[in-house]
């Protein structure tokens, strides 16, 4: 008869409380904006006193740091769910662009924390930033498989896709005005950097 491993109930409770704090912070950020997240607001929303939060996070920026890491981990999980990607290079790039676009526009606060300097004085820790680097490296490898190799071409890709997200969020939140033009954008990009394949606009 095998013995069950001992459960660390204290650690489980601590992790559950930590998740509750982060869930509350995200709720505030989505409702009132990222800068509205304060220790007082978070504590009040979950029935805690502000000083009690310091046993889980050393500062408000510590909460932002955990939110930043969790957002990039979420994006990595979405990448996982996409496999296998299309073999055709242009369709491959389009699939990734659509995935990132949909992920970004689905949650303004999350996108701002991940990609914009919205919070004065906040810089992600090395550990949290590593989560974003891992996703970037994954994107780099995917682009390489699609025939894109130079850093300049990667920079152009992130600028174009990020710009489309910004335009959608600013001018047509909840709509499809810029998403519907992603095939056109990918064709233009591929023509510029030399990615082969039939026109995406001609096969939609």
């Amino acid at each position: 008869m095998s013995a069950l491993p001992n459960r660390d109930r204290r650690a489980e409770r601590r992790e559950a409380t930590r998740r509750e704090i982060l869930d509350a912070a995200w709720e505030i950020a989505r409702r009132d904006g990222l800068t509205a997240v304060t220790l007082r607001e978070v504590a009040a929303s979950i029935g805690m006193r502000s000083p009690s939060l310091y046993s889980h996070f050393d500062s408000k920026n510590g909460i932002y740091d955990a939110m930043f890491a969790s957002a990039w981990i979420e994006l990595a999980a979405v990448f996982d769910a996409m496999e296998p990607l299309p073999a055709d290079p242009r369709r491959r790039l389009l699939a990734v662009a659509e995935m990132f676009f949909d992920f970004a526009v689905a949650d303004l606060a999350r996108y701002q924390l991940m990609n914009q300097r919205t919070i004065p004085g906040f810089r992600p820790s090395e550990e949290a930033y590593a989560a974003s680097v891992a996703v970037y490296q994954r994107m780099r490898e995917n682009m390489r498989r699609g025939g894109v190799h130079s850093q300049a071409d990667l920079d152009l890709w992130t600028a174009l896709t990020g710009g489309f997200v910004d335009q959608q969020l600013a001018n047509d939140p909840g709509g499809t005005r810029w998403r519907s033009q992603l095939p056109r954008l990918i064709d233009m990009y591929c023509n510029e950097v030399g990615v082969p394949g039939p026109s995406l606009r001609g096969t939609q």
Side-chain angles (χ1 to χ4, degrees):
M1 180 175 180
S2 61
L4 294 175
N6 292 329
R7 292 175 58 186
D8 188 341
R9 296 183 185 277
R10 178 177 295 180
E12 290 175 1
R13 287 194 298 269
R14 181 176 178 81
E15 180 58 28
T17 301
R18 184 181 173 89
R19 287 196 302 269
E20 186 178 13
I21 291 169
L22 291 177
D23 287 345
W26 278 118
E27 182 178 351
I28 294 167
R30 289 164 178 148
R31 185 186 66 226
D32 302 322
L34 282 165
T35 56
V37 176
T38 65
L39 294 176
R40 182 188 299 273
E41 286 292 325
V42 172
S45 69
I46 59 175
M48 294 178 65
R49 298 178 59 197
S50 297
S52 299
L53 294 183
Y54 286 105
S55 63
H56 301 278
F57 296 97
D58 58 5
S59 66
K60 179 175 69 173
N61 279 353
I63 295 177
Y64 284 133
D65 198 61
M67 294 167 69
F68 179 92
S70 69
W72 283 102
I73 291 169
E74 285 180 42
L75 181 55
V78 176
F79 258 121
D80 288 340
M82 291 183 66
E83 297 291 351
L85 288 164
D88 175 77
R90 295 196 180 201
R91 288 198 170 277
R92 185 183 191 91
L93 296 185
L94 178 60
V96 172
E98 290 176 337
M99 178 278 295
F100 174 74
F101 187 95
D102 291 344
F103 181 86
V105 301
D107 192 329
L108 174 61
R110 182 178 62 189
Y111 175 71
Q112 288 177 327
L113 181 59
M114 294 170 71
N115 296 286
Q116 299 174 354
R117 295 179 180 268
T118 306
I119 306 162
F122 169 68
R123 291 178 64 87
S125 66
E126 184 175 340
E127 180 181 1
Y129 192 66
S132 70
V133 172
V135 173
Y136 184 83
Q137 293 300 336
R138 188 166 181 175
M139 181 272 293
R140 181 194 292 273
E141 175 60 20
N142 178 69
M143 299 293 286
R144 187 191 68 76
R145 292 178 181 176
V148 179
H149 300 279
S150 78
Q151 185 62 53
D153 290 347
L154 286 170
D155 291 345
L156 181 61
W157 170 265
T158 56
L160 290 171
T161 52
F164 261 46
V165 169
D166 290 340
Q167 288 294 312
Q168 186 68 55
L169 288 170
N171 298 292
D172 188 30
T176 60
R177 183 175 171 185
W178 273 267
R179 193 190 192 284
S180 65
Q181 295 212 61
L182 283 173
R184 184 180 181 191
L185 173 69
I186 303 308
D187 272 341
M188 293 170 63
Y189 176 81
C190 289
N191 291 341
E192 171 63 25
V193 304
V195 174
S199 169
L200 294 167
R201 286 172 289 175
T203 58
Q204 294 297 300

